[in-house]
Each structure stands twice: as structure tokens, then as C-alpha cells.
């Protein structure tokens, strides 16, 4: 019996990589299907191999976390890519991604891409944005896939970690990975090339090597809805609110209409960015007006 990590899943085969860098093409055992357990990319597994480089997965080790879309397990962090231009930068969309990732208890890192496309005047705007998010506690990098210099100091984000790279399509996710590892040739500009959405969303998940770590380039999160977040959890998806909420007068404060709310006070005195707080309120409204699930 051997052990390894699933680095790719394709048409019922799981590609398991062992510590000595061998890749085995494995099938799941029928028993998983019966128990409704599907091996995921990122899973640590035991497998039996009777043939050279082929085998059967016999056990899936307990997962640290898992995402459904894209299907992947045991992620150390999510790198959220937002482009400075084309598509234009959206605070709201960045905050939406941050909330989705925070709600899964996965550490977000922010890359603002395509910095080569903006003017010197606009550079200042992005320095401010970087500063604002760093104040909250996030790591932020201003980069360009076309400027190798801007990518030089990124190693520590990747080495020995499993990351998922997330963000709107067209922001440059695949281009960044290609730029970081010259032996990768991930297709870029996929939306415009593929005819229908179907092709785009069913693409397989694969972990690729980047700067001594593994990264899943996702076709995008197929849903950006807050389907799985309850209104009581939303505040905890904003680290700056999480830090002060214990000082709210009421336990279970939603930081909305309640009096003596520490979050609202922090917004008033500038400790919490009012743009972020407004996004919180709009996400809260969205969750409240969500259709009940049965
Ligand atoms: N100017 C510029 N264009 C970029 C950069 N990164 C990506 N692009 C372009 O943006 C388009 C989408 O890139 P892609 O990597 O496919 O984005 P993805 O959908 O997030 O994977 C492609 O035409 C790329 O050539 C960048 O840093 N600067
Ligand atoms: Mg891509
Ligand atoms: Zn409050």
C-alpha cells in the first residue's frame, strides 16, 4: 500500500502523486460510491497498486476543508485575483469573493492584476486600495503578468502550499500562473474562445506546480451567491468587524439598526472603512431576501 495526494481528477480516474514524485493513475473503489464519498483533488489517500503506475484508492484521509465549486479539498489559501482594468476594478466584487472564501474558513490573499494597463495617476488609487485591505489584515500584491519584476517576490505565497486561484473570468488568473512557471501552458482567454458556458464550467480541476507549491486554476466559481451563508455568520466574514463585535451592546447584533453597536461606532470614527460596511449591509439585505430553502 502507498500514500499520496490526488493532483488531478478526470473521467473517473484520479492521478495520485507520491512523496517521491511518481504519479499513479487510480480508480476509486466501488465502496466510495456506495457511501457517497467522492475523492477530491487535494485529498490525501492510500492506494493499492498491483500494476506499474496504476492502482485503486482504498482510503481518503480526513479533510481539513473542502470546496464544492470548484471541487477541491485541503486548501491552504485562496488567491483572489481582481484586475485593475479590463475588466475594471470592482470593490464590491472583491468583497464578495472575500466573504465567500472567509465563510469557508480559508485564508484569502489578494492579487490586483494588469497593473501595466493603468496610468501613473491611477497608480495612487491602487496604492490606497492596497493599504486599505492591508489595514484589515489581508496580504495584497499589485502585479502584472506582463511585468516579470512585479512577480519576483511572490514565492513565499506559494512554496509548500496548496492554493486555489479565484476571480472573475478575464482578470488574468491563467496568465499569472503561466508567467510564474515557464513550463505551464494553460489556455488563456477561454471565455471568448469557447462557444458556450457549458464547456467552460465542466472543465476538470488540476493542481499545477508553481514556485514550489500546488495551485488549482479554477474556471471560476460557478456561483457567487451567498447560498450557504446565514445572516448571523456574515459579520464574521469581515475580519475588521469580527474584531470589534464583542463590544456591541447586544449579543447577536447584526450591526444594522441596533443601538450601541461597536461596528457602527468604528465606521463613524473611521476605524472601519465605510465602503466595506456598506457592502456588508447590502450582502445582509441579499441574504435576508433570499428565498427560504426547504
Ligand atoms: N495587459 C495585460 N493583459 C493581461 C494581463 N494578464 C492577462 N492579460 C490578458 O487578459 C486576458 C485574460 O487572461 P486570462 O489569463 O485568460 O484570464 P483568466 O480568465 O482569469 O484566466 C488575456 O487576453 C490575457 O492576455 C496583464 O497582466 N496585463
Ligand atoms: Mg483562466
Ligand atoms: Zn453591532
Amino acid at each position: 500500500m502507498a500514500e499520496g495526494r490526488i493532483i488531478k481528477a478526470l473521467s473517473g480516474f484520479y492521478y495520485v502523486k507520491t512523496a517521491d514524485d511518481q504519479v499513479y493513475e487510480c480508480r476509486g473503489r466501488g465502496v466510495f460510491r456506495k457511501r457517497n464519498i467522492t475523492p477530491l483533488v487535494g485529498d490525501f489517500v492510500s492506494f493499492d497498486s498491483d500494476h506499474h503506475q496504476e492502482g485503486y484508492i482504498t482510503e481518503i484521509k480526513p479533510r481539513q476543508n473542502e470546496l464544492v465549486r470548484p471541487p477541491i479539498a485541503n486548501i491552504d489559501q485562496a488567491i483572489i485575483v481582481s484586475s485593475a482594468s479590463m475588466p475594471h476594478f470592482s470593490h464590491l466584487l472583491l468583497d464578495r469573493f472575500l466573504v465567500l472564501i472567509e465563510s469557508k474558513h480559508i485564508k484569502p490573499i489578494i492579487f490586483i492584476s494588469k497593473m501595466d494597463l493603468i496610468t501613473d495617476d491611477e497608480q495612487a488609487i491602487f496604492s490606497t486600495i492596497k493599504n486599505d485591505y492591508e489595514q484589515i489584515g489581508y496580504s495584497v500584491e499589485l502585479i502584472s503578468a506582463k511585468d516579470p519584476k512585479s512577480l519576483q517576490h511572490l514565492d513565499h505565497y506559494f512554496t509548500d502550499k496548496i492554493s486555489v486561484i479565484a476571480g472573475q473570468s478575464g482578470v488574468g488568473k491563467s496568465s499569472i500562473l503561466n508567467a510564474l512557471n515557464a513550463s505551464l501552458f494553460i489556455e488563456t482567454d477561454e471565455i471568448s474562445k469557447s462557444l458556450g458556458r457549458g464547456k467552460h464550467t465542466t472543465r476538470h480541476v488540476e493542481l499545477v506546480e508553481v514556485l514550489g507549491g500546488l495551485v488549482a486554476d479554477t474556471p471560476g466559481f460557478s456561483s457567487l451567491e451567498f447560498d450557504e451563508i446565514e445572516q448571523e455568520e456574515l459579520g464574521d466574514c469581515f475580519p475588521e468587524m469580527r474584531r470589534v463585535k464583542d463590544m456591541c451592546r447586544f449579543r447577536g447584533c447584526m450591526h444594522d439598526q441596533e443601538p450601541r453597536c461597536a461596528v457602527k461606532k468604528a465606521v463613524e470614527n473611521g476605524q472601519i472603512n465605510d465602503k466595506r460596511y456598506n457592502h456588508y449591509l447590502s450582502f445582509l439585505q441579499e441574504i435576508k431576501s433570499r428565498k427560504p430553502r426547504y
Side-chain angles (χ1 to χ4, degrees), residues 248 253-255 261-263:
C248 292
C253 180
M254 299 301 293
H255 325 303
C261 164
V263 168

Side-chain angles (χ1 to χ4, degrees), residues 245 248-250 253-256 258 260-264:
K245 69 164 188 190
C248 292
R249 173 68 181 83
F250 297 102
C253 180
M254 299 301 293
H255 325 303
D256 184 5
E258 296 88 343
R260 294 169 71 186
C261 164
V263 168
K264 281 195 284 178

Side-chain angles (χ1 to χ4, degrees), residues 193-230:
K193 273 185 197 152
S194 69
L195 292 170
R197 276 174 58 91
K199 183 190 168 201
H200 192 246
T201 47
T202 54
R203 224 189 51 175
H204 69 279
V205 175
E206 179 170 0
L207 292 171
V208 297
E209 275 184 49
V210 172
L211 303 175
L214 293 170
V215 183
D217 181 22
T218 69
F221 283 48
S222 50
S223 167
L224 288 178
E225 305 294 312
F226 296 133
D227 287 343
E228 291 167 6
I229 305 175
E230 300 305 329

Side-chain angles (χ1 to χ4, degrees), residues 91 95 133 238 267 272-280:
H91 273 102
D95 285 343
Y133 281 92
F238 289 74
V267 175
I272 288 182
N273 184 302
D274 55 351
K275 215 179 232 164
R276 289 267 296 169
Y277 176 65
N278 287 334
H279 292 167
Y280 166 80

Side-chain angles (χ1 to χ4, degrees), residues 113-291:
S113 65
K114 305 200 188 185
M115 287 298 290
D116 58 296
L117 291 179
I118 62 164
T119 64
D120 286 350
D121 291 348
E122 290 169 324
Q123 297 275 347
I125 299 172
F126 287 96
S127 298
T128 307
I129 292 171
K130 175 171 155 71
N131 230 346
D132 288 348
Y133 281 92
E134 283 175 344
Q135 288 291 317
I136 298 166
Y138 292 122
S139 296
V140 185
E141 297 292 341
L142 304 178
I143 62 168
S144 161
K146 311 223 174 212
D147 172 15
K149 231 174 161 181
S150 75
L151 306 171
Q152 259 171 8
H153 56 291
L154 301 180
D155 294 59
H156 67 281
Y157 289 113
F158 294 93
T159 308
D160 294 330
K161 294 200 184 79
I162 296 250
S163 318
V164 57
I165 189 159
Q168 204 183 349
S169 81
V171 293
K173 299 181 294 297
S174 302
S175 302
I176 292 166
L177 298 182
N178 286 339
L180 291 174
N181 177 351
S183 66
L184 291 176
F185 297 95
I186 306 172
E187 218 183 310
T188 56
D189 247 343
E190 283 171 84
I191 279 284
S192 48
K193 273 185 197 152
S194 69
L195 292 170
R197 276 174 58 91
K199 183 190 168 201
H200 192 246
T201 47
T202 54
R203 224 189 51 175
H204 69 279
V205 175
E206 179 170 0
L207 292 171
V208 297
E209 275 184 49
V210 172
L211 303 175
L214 293 170
V215 183
D217 181 22
T218 69
F221 283 48
S222 50
S223 167
L224 288 178
E225 305 294 312
F226 296 133
D227 287 343
E228 291 167 6
I229 305 175
E230 300 305 329
Q231 38 178 304
E232 298 75 23
E233 298 169 83
L234 184 64
D236 285 341
C237 298
F238 289 74
E240 69 272 50
M241 293 173 57
R242 200 157 68 208
R243 279 195 287 270
V244 301
K245 69 164 188 190
D246 285 345
M247 287 174 320
C248 292
R249 173 68 181 83
F250 297 102
R251 198 193 279 244
C253 180
M254 299 301 293
H255 325 303
D256 184 5
Q257 305 292 338
E258 296 88 343
R260 294 169 71 186
C261 164
V263 168
K264 281 195 284 178
K265 196 170 157 207
V267 175
E268 273 159 34
N269 67 28
Q271 230 181 307
I272 288 182
N273 184 302
D274 55 351
K275 215 179 232 164
R276 289 267 296 169
Y277 176 65
N278 287 334
H279 292 167
Y280 166 80
L281 289 180
S282 100
F283 296 158
L284 183 65
Q285 214 41 56
E286 188 177 322
I287 293 172
K288 279 183 174 167
S289 58
R290 173 175 74 195
K291 296 211 173 59

Side-chain angles (χ1 to χ4, degrees), residues 16-24 47 52-53:
V16 179
K17 191 173 188 177
T18 56
D20 57 354
D21 267 354
Q22 299 292 308
V23 177
Y24 292 80
F47 63 97
H52 205 62
Q53 310 297 78

